Amino acid sequence: MNKINEEYLLYKKLCKNRSIRLKTDELTLVESLKKKGLSIIYKDGFYELTEDISILSESEIRSDLGIVENSKIDKLKVIFKTGSTNHKIVNYSINEFYTVLVAEYQSKGQGRRQKKWQSPLGANLYFSVQFHLNEMVNIAFIPLIVARSICNALSDQGINNCKIKWPNDIYLDGKKIAGVLSESRYCNEKGFIIVVGIGININMYSEQKIDQEWSSIKISQNKNFNRNTILSSLLSRIIPDFDNISEFNFERFKQDWDFLDFLKDKSVCVLDDNVSYTAIATGLADDGALIVLYKNKFRKIYSGEVSIKVTK
Ligand code: BTN
């Protein structure tokens, strides 16, 4: 058995029993699990997880999904470790409907604008959804639609008050808890192939080196959440939203967006490559851009390399 499989087995054993005795040859495995961010303490001859962890499981995720959504997920794969689920999923074949890949740990979690996405073992959700689109739709809206699906799914789980910081950061209690990294490519046979990567801080609580204010659902709600349940809830929102994408209606979407808009009427600092200026965010344009008011004129901002910071 290779080392990763051994680590996965030990990880599963710890998740199941929480506190275990180890054989000498398992000690190096524990060190590797700790390096991946798993919080383990040693007490009276036992190695113990400091938190309960419900291991990610395909059957648990599927059991909470409706028949229709289940039938639309051609492949749902849970893996222990990868660099980035967005990079890994492109090696999977393009199926009729949706492919979902979820990892317990990412060693090179990728954020927008070449940033790193902290992905400690067993703490959060890191997953990607791959699908293809035959019809022409404005791809710029995909990450925005996903951001709305995330807010709705979390609200279904009783986590209210999530907001979207344009284009697709999810905020809870004024701090970032989730992000979306969406990528697309064109292939003659299948049309546009879309990969949407989603990272949600679920049970992360310890000090993580993240260069912006962050939170997690656990910090906000003061309890642990089962990642399988949250993932099912997300998929049951995301899949119908993608299924209906050809009927996308901007006016209807804008109503939802206005309600969820974190930046609305806030003073923001727009950081382009080498220019930065302060403006007022006024809302979403019909092509997915952010509208800001700068020196009494409205300007459209397109995501690309731009970063928006709320000025205090
Ligand atoms: C951002 O807000 O910067 C986007 C973060 C996206 C993170 C997710 S985690 C799953 C998928 N795999 C990655 O490497 N990134 C996305």
Side-chain angles (χ1 to χ4, degrees):
M1 204 184 331
N2 72 29
K3 185 159 173 267
I4 286 300
N5 286 340
E6 285 181 291
E7 279 182 35
Y8 198 9
L9 275 184
L10 182 60
Y11 170 70
K12 284 182 181 167
K13 204 154 99 179
L14 274 162
C15 292
K16 197 164 164 228
N17 304 298
R18 184 136 177 201
S19 175
I20 55 174
R21 279 190 191 280
L22 290 183
K23 299 181 206 119
T24 327
D25 58 347
E26 288 176 322
L27 292 176
T28 54
L29 297 176
V30 157
E31 288 313 310
S32 302
L33 293 180
K34 279 186 175 172
K35 277 195 194 127
K36 292 183 172 64
L38 197 67
S39 181
I40 303 171
I41 51 164
Y42 177 72
K43 211 164 81 189
D44 304 330
F46 286 85
Y47 288 82
E48 191 176 307
L49 286 180
T50 58
E51 300 287 322
D52 271 329
I53 296 180
S54 45
I55 198 146
L56 291 169
S57 127
E58 175 181 353
S59 57
E60 262 199 57
I61 297 161
R62 283 200 184 267
S63 71
D64 274 350
L65 282 171
I67 297 172
V68 177
E69 283 75 40
N70 250 317
S71 67
K72 294 216 161 156
I73 300 176
D74 306 290
K75 184 180 177 98
L76 196 169
K77 183 111 176 103
V78 174
I79 55 175
F80 177 59
K81 176 204 151 155
T82 186
S84 153
T85 54
N86 266 36
H87 296 166
K88 175 99 178 163
I89 204 168
V90 296
N91 301 322
Y92 289 18
S93 54
I94 310 300
N95 292 305
E96 193 180 349
F97 300 116
Y98 301 91
T99 303
V100 179
L101 174 67
V102 52
E104 290 280 4
Y105 168 74
Q106 293 187 125
S107 56
K108 291 195 177 96
Q110 180 90 52
R112 283 177 61 238
R113 310 177 72 242
Q114 272 73 52
K115 285 195 173 172
K116 195 172 156 44
W117 187 260
Q118 292 291 344
S119 313
L121 176 59
N124 301 321
L125 276 174
Y126 324 110
F127 70 102
S128 299
V129 181
Q130 178 166 263
F131 61 102
H132 67 105
L133 286 172
N134 298 319
E135 53 253 292
M136 274 307 290
V137 296
N138 184 350
I139 283 178
F141 277 103
I142 288 179
L144 311 184
I145 292 171
V146 174
R148 178 187 61 173
S149 315
I150 296 172
C151 291
N152 288 339
L154 294 179
S155 165
D156 292 343
Q157 295 299 312
I159 303 145
N160 297 309
N161 302 325
C162 284
K163 297 279 173 197
I164 307 169
K165 178 174 166 261
W166 181 92
N168 45 34
D169 290 347
I170 312 301
Y171 273 55
L172 184 58
D173 309 330
K175 290 177 187 162
K176 181 163 172 176
I177 57 151
V180 181
L181 182 67
S182 125
E183 295 163 297
S184 62
R185 62 187 196 276
Y186 187 77
C187 111
N188 272 338
E189 241 174 279
K190 303 272 182 183
F192 277 103
I193 296 162
I194 313 286
V195 170
V196 176
I198 299 170
I200 306 189
N201 298 340
I202 308 280
N203 295 321
M204 186 158 78
Y205 67 97
S206 57
E207 242 346 275
Q208 291 283 337
K209 286 188 209 95
I210 299 180
D211 63 357
Q212 60 180 301
E213 280 210 287
W214 65 272
S215 189
S216 69
I217 294 175
K218 176 188 173 130
I219 292 170
S220 164
Q221 310 289 303
N222 216 7
K223 60 175 185 183
N224 258 50
F225 281 81
N226 181 317
R227 294 172 300 154
N228 294 304
T229 314
I230 305 257
L231 182 50
S232 302
S233 183
L234 288 161
L235 293 172
S236 51
R237 282 289 191 164
I238 289 169
I239 290 174
D241 282 350
F242 284 152
D243 276 352
N244 298 325
I245 206 157
S246 57
E247 284 132 51
F248 179 76
N249 173 315
F250 176 72
E251 291 311 321
R252 232 181 299 143
F253 182 75
K254 173 95 170 43
Q255 282 175 15
D256 291 352
W257 184 273
D258 286 345
F259 178 70
L260 297 168
D261 191 351
F262 178 72
L263 293 178
K264 182 104 179 137
D265 299 329
K266 286 202 168 102
S267 167
V268 294
C269 178
V270 182
L271 304 165
D272 218 319
D273 264 350
N274 32 23
V275 204
S276 89
Y277 58 92
T278 302
I280 303 290
T282 63
L284 188 68
D286 62 4
D287 57 358
L290 172 73
I291 307 173
V292 297
L293 184 62
Y294 176 64
K295 290 191 174 166
N296 289 326
K297 284 202 178 119
F298 290 105
R299 273 191 184 188
K300 279 188 184 180
I301 311 286
Y302 292 89
S303 56
E305 286 307 301
V306 181
S307 136
I308 303 285
K309 285 203 162 58
V310 178
T311 55
K312 297 247 162 103

